[in-house]
Amino acid sequence: VATVVQLLLTTHFVPTDSVPQWPVLYFEVLSLGFWQRYRTEGYGYLVIPPTPGCHNLTCSTWRPVQPGTVAELRRFFIGGAPELEDISYARVPGTFKGDRLSRFGFRSETTGSVTFTLHCIQQARAFIDASALKKRRQSVLDQLGGFSKQSTTNNVLEAFLRAQRRMQEARESLPSDLLNTTAPPTSETTA
């Protein structure tokens, strides 16, 4: 079953005294039984890829179990199965402080996998060079078509204004008697 979910992660402030953590998506897989009861089929996590683009990722899932046949029958018919109190335990619990994480004595079983198709986009002004940004904007405008006509019109207007300025500068540098066209021409006669 394919489900489309859109997530937006916006960070405005990153503390300088701690190392920023890359986003992790924690998930829980549930099933709905015949008697309209939900059962936890598995837990998993996915580290969001650090590179933009399309990514197909398959994540393994697991669930905690109690030993014995009675526990499995209870889970199937009644729906009372062990669940995680903190879903971050699927990876490293958020409350964990230490060097090594031991899950000794914790019983679990593999329950399958979930495949994610992610289309990642990243945007950060700090990573974009100003000249590259200008070139990128221009190529986007050219791809849009309508804006390229506007850009061409703007280029023509800018060229006209530059030519008009040059003509004005040339006119100002000419001698004043060449520019005076209001006086009637004088005719010289030689006898």
Side-chain angles (χ1 to χ4, degrees):
V1 176
T3 303
V4 176
V5 178
Q6 180 178 349
L7 301 173
L8 176 65
L9 173 67
T10 305
T11 56
H12 296 285
F13 174 72
V14 178
T16 57
D17 57 343
S18 66
V19 177
Q21 296 290 321
W22 198 253
V24 177
L25 178 67
Y26 295 96
F27 59 92
E28 178 180 9
V29 180
L30 301 173
S31 66
L32 183 62
F34 179 76
W35 300 104
Q36 302 300 311
R37 292 195 177 106
Y38 288 99
R39 289 190 307 257
T40 300
E41 296 298 336
Y43 295 96
Y45 71 94
L46 168 72
V47 178
I48 304 295
T51 57
C54 181
H55 304 276
N56 289 315
L57 303 168
T58 302
C59 302
S60 299
T61 58
W62 59 271
R63 66 179 172 85
V65 294
Q66 292 175 331
T69 309
V70 175
E72 283 301 312
L73 288 172
R74 184 182 314 119
R75 177 184 177 280
F76 184 78
F77 288 109
I78 301 174
E83 295 181 2
L84 293 181
E85 190 173 304
D86 180 9
I87 196 167
S88 69
Y89 195 80
R91 185 175 181 223
V92 176
T95 57
F96 174 71
K97 292 179 179 70
D99 295 335
R100 291 184 179 88
L101 177 64
S102 175
R103 291 192 174 124
F104 182 74
F106 185 78
R107 292 181 178 239
S108 64
E109 71 177 354
T110 304
T111 56
S113 62
V114 177
T115 301
F116 292 91
T117 301
L118 302 174
H119 299 279
C120 299
I121 299 174
Q122 296 178 4
Q123 179 180 356
R125 290 233 181 256
F127 301 129
I128 298 176
D129 182 39
S131 62
L133 180 62
K134 185 177 180 181
K135 289 178 186 175
R136 195 171 303 148
R137 278 189 200 146
Q138 186 61 39
S139 68
V140 169
L141 290 175
D142 289 342
Q143 290 172 2
L144 291 176
F147 288 116
S148 67
K149 291 177 185 172
Q150 181 181 359
S151 175
T152 303
T153 305
N154 287 340
N155 289 342
V156 169
L157 287 174
E158 287 175 8
F160 174 76
L161 291 174
R162 282 193 307 269
Q164 188 179 26
R165 251 192 321 263
R166 282 194 311 256
M167 182 179 265
Q168 185 66 29
E169 290 170 1
R171 185 174 281 170
E172 289 171 359
S173 67
L174 287 175
S176 62
D177 60 338
L178 288 177
L179 294 176
N180 191 1
T181 57
T182 58
T186 58
S187 59
E188 292 182 13
T189 57
T190 57

